């Protein structure tokens, strides 16, 4: 959430920033009106309580002296009624304020390109050259079934649309990618691996900004305050919720593998073919907790670490800075890593790395203490390191051969028992 101090002291800045994100800036004035009403009501309640206490004391003195206290008793009764009415209104105003505050997105960092949508995104750099083929490259939704390693039909049969069964070398390749990514991030990049729960409670989802705004995108377990994780960002960022960390332990850098579950509400008709947009997929997530002074350096570090996975696999990609109109709800700045997919003749997102500044920390009460100072909100960052299924897509499409086989990138072969090439047949998962 945004700080109330900022909304009070610099509403024009907030309104401009919201407008740059495509939000209605009038909501700032709505918040200020509610905030004024709340503070005036609080002051009035305190004044009435003071008068009630004085009247109650007077009643005691009058009764002790044998005098009538009828007028004072009537006054106290009236004051109690007015206080109760004001406190009831305060409860309603607090609820309205919370709804407004919880719907306000984070403010973009000054370096974010301004624009209405993804067309204003800025390409920062390209790494690697897209391969050229002496044949027409296939998309993964053809390669996978032809090799017998991806089964979209049986995935839909046992679960529904946007679920897939991986078979043989496909399942092994997915597993190998997870191990390769975790090993790279822990052994070379210095991350601490965690294995968090795959279900989270509503407090965790509120802390990272999925609730209440994006409830429709979540899978909830009926009868419980449990949700399937949409990303490991949620449980990992919340590991230190309501804690005060010593500055000396920062930055904390965690990596975690989890399945991810998303209803993809509102995405009907978009990316429905293949593995691009599934209800269930695997991801290795990177989470940093940092001080405000270092968080943007941490963002650059995170982008470099995520990109290293693609570089080791020799997959061409580009780094894109998202515009104000394309930022996620909690992000102050985001870089997308987009991998080249020759079967689709396009770059597609494979990682999104974001600095959320203190937006999530305020919701989750994540703080740190510098020696001799009061606790402060820390900054949270998250990014994919990488989306596993999309990395598998990129390997299939970039390493495909004219005979329909797929060469296994050298860094993955030790995870696959020395397998160098995926070909059609029972050993690869065929036999449909």
């Amino acid at each position: 959430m945004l700080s109330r101090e900022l909304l009070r002291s610099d509403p024009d800045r907030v309104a401009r920033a919201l407008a740059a994100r495509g939000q209605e800036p009038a909501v700032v004035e709505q918040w200020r009106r509610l905030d004024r009403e709340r503070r005036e009501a609080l002051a009035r309640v305190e004044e009435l309580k003071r008068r009630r206490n004085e009247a109650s004391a007077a009643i005691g003195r009058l009764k002790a002296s044998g005098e009538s206290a009828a007028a004072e008793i009537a006054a106290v009764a009236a004051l109690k009624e007015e206080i109760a009415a004001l406190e009831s209104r305060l409860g309603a105003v607090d609820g309205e304020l919370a709804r407004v505050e919880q719907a306000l997105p984070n403010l973009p960092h000054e370096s974010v390109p301004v624009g209405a949508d993804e067309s204003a995104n800025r390409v920062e750099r390209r790494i690697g050259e897209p391969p050229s083929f002496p044949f027409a490259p296939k998309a993964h939704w053809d390669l996978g079934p032809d090799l017998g390693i991806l089964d979209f039909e049986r995935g839909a049969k046992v679960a529904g649309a946007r679920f897939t069964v991986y078979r043989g070398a496909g399942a092994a390749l997915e597993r190998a990618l997870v191990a390769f990514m975790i090993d790279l991030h822990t052994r070379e990049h210095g991350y601490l691996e965690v294995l968090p729960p795959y279900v989270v409670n509503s407090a965790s989802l509120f802390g990272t900004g999925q609730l209440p705004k994006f409830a429709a995108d979540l899978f909830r377990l009926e009868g419980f305050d449990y949700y399937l994780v949409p990303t490991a960002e949620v449980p990992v960022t919340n590991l230190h919720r309501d804690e005060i960390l010593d500055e000396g332990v920062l930055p904390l850098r965690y990596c975690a593998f989890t399945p991810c579950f998303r209803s993809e509400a509102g995405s009907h008709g978009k990316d429905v073919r293949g593995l691009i947009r599934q209800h269930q997929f695997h991801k290795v997530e990177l989470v940093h907790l940092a001080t405000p002074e270092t968080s943007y350096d941490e963002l650059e570090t995170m982008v470099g670490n995520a990109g290293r996975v693609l570089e080791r696999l020799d997959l061409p990609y580009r780094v894109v800075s998202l515009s104000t109109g394309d930022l996620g709800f909690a992000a102050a700045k985001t870089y997308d890593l987009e991998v080249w997919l020759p079967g689709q003749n396009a770059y597609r997102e494979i990682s999104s790395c974001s600095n959320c500044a203190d937006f999530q920390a305020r919701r989750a009460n994540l703080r740190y203490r510098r020696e001799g100072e009061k606790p402060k909100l820390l900054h949270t960052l998250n990014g994919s390191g990488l989306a596993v299924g999309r990395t598998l897509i990129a390997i299939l499409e970039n390493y495909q051969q004219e005979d329909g086989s797929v060469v296994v990138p050298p860094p993955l072969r030790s995870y696959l028992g020395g397998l160098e090439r995926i070909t059609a047949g029972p050993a690869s998962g065929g036999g449909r």
Side-chain angles (χ1 to χ4, degrees):
M1 292 186 292
L2 303 179
S3 94
R4 289 187 171 182
E5 292 76 11
L6 176 62
L7 285 161
R8 288 172 186 148
S9 64
D10 203 350
D12 291 341
R13 176 195 162 198
V14 176
R16 287 193 303 270
L18 291 177
R21 292 198 57 148
Q23 303 289 314
E24 178 52 61
V27 70
V28 178
E29 186 52 42
Q30 178 189 5
W31 183 91
R32 295 184 74 206
R33 176 183 59 77
L34 290 167
D35 183 52
R36 284 194 299 269
E37 182 179 353
R38 177 180 180 275
R39 287 188 289 167
E40 290 169 1
L42 280 172
R44 177 64 176 163
V45 165
E46 290 304 310
E47 171 62 17
L48 292 175
K49 286 181 176 179
R50 183 188 64 78
R51 289 169 52 189
R52 181 198 61 193
N53 292 341
E54 289 177 351
S56 295
I59 290 170
R61 290 194 299 272
L62 289 168
K63 285 184 175 180
S65 64
E67 300 179 57
S68 173
E72 285 73 14
I73 292 171
V76 166
L79 287 167
K80 284 182 178 179
E81 286 186 15
E82 189 174 354
I83 290 168
L86 275 171
E87 288 180 336
S88 176
R89 177 56 188 157
L90 267 172
V93 170
D94 281 338
E96 292 177 50
L97 269 173
R99 282 189 289 274
V100 173
E101 290 171 344
Q102 291 166 14
L104 290 175
N106 204 352
L107 304 187
H109 187 261
E110 59 187 13
S111 64
V112 172
V114 177
D117 52 36
E118 63 184 14
S119 65
N121 293 350
R122 183 175 64 225
V123 177
E124 302 290 351
R125 57 188 177 274
R126 289 179 171 84
I127 296 88
E129 290 294 325
S132 61
F133 295 89
F135 57 92
K138 295 180 180 179
H140 72 280
W141 52 72
D142 292 321
L143 284 163
D146 288 348
L147 289 168
I149 62 173
L150 296 178
D151 194 332
F152 301 114
E153 294 176 5
R154 289 190 175 100
K157 178 170 66 175
V158 300
R162 301 194 183 186
F163 290 92
T164 302
V165 174
Y166 292 66
R167 299 164 59 94
L173 180 57
E174 180 96 352
R175 179 163 44 86
L177 282 166
V178 172
F180 169 71
M181 293 176 191
I182 291 290
D183 285 349
L184 178 62
H185 293 314
T186 57
R187 296 175 184 176
E188 298 189 27
H189 298 156
Y191 287 81
L192 176 65
E193 181 183 2
V194 295
L195 184 61
Y198 298 164
V199 297
V200 289
N201 54 35
S202 57
S204 294
L205 288 157
F206 176 81
T208 46
Q210 282 81 11
L211 285 179
K213 188 175 178 64
F214 302 105
D217 290 322
L218 303 169
F219 286 112
R220 183 173 185 176
L221 304 185
E222 187 175 357
F224 298 89
D225 182 32
Y226 289 151
Y227 296 78
L228 298 179
V229 292
T231 164
E233 167 201 347
V234 179
V236 178
T237 303
N238 278 276
L239 288 176
H240 297 287
R241 187 175 75 232
D242 295 324
E243 294 180 19
I244 300 174
L245 303 176
D246 289 332
E247 184 184 25
V249 306
L250 301 175
L252 289 176
R253 297 173 183 164
Y254 292 119
C255 69
F257 159 73
T258 65
C260 305
F261 304 91
R262 299 182 186 177
S263 73
E264 296 291 353
S267 66
H268 301 292
K270 182 180 180 183
D271 296 330
V272 294
R273 296 194 71 181
L275 298 175
I276 291 289
R277 196 175 295 275
Q278 298 270 284
H279 290 310
Q280 173 189 307
F281 60 96
H282 293 142
K283 185 151 65 80
V284 171
E285 187 76 0
L286 309 177
V287 171
H288 293 200
L289 304 180
T291 64
E293 295 84 359
T294 63
S295 68
Y296 283 95
D297 289 336
E298 288 295 309
L299 178 60
E300 300 297 330
T301 296
M302 178 180 286
V303 170
N305 292 339
R308 203 85 65 235
V309 178
L310 296 169
E311 292 161 24
R312 290 288 178 85
L313 297 174
D314 199 20
L315 293 170
Y317 71 101
R318 65 184 186 183
V319 178
V320 178
S321 184
L322 299 195
S323 72
T324 53
D326 201 27
L327 282 177
F329 176 72
K333 182 172 184 175
T334 297
Y335 291 110
D336 274 3
L337 277 63
E338 298 179 345
V339 69
W340 176 253
L341 299 182
Q344 299 169 53
N345 195 37
Y347 284 98
R348 301 299 300 266
E349 178 200 334
I350 196 167
S351 173
S352 203
C353 297
S354 299
N355 186 354
C356 297
D358 62 7
F359 187 84
Q360 293 179 327
R362 183 169 287 106
R363 299 170 74 105
N365 194 27
L366 284 161
R367 296 179 292 167
Y368 74 100
R369 178 183 281 111
R370 184 169 291 159
E371 187 175 357
E373 298 182 7
K374 293 181 179 179
K376 299 177 181 178
L377 292 171
L378 49 72
H379 280 197
T380 64
L381 303 91
N382 65 81
S384 304
L386 303 163
V388 181
R390 293 192 179 192
T391 309
L392 183 144
I393 290 171
I395 289 171
L396 294 183
E397 296 197 10
N398 282 277
Y399 281 87
Q400 63 182 294
Q401 306 298 301
E402 191 165 9
D403 63 3
S405 66
V406 173
V407 171
V408 175
L412 298 178
R413 292 174 186 175
S414 62
Y415 295 94
L416 291 165
L419 181 68
E420 296 182 2
R421 186 184 296 258
I422 300 172
T423 58
S428 293
R432 291 163 57 85

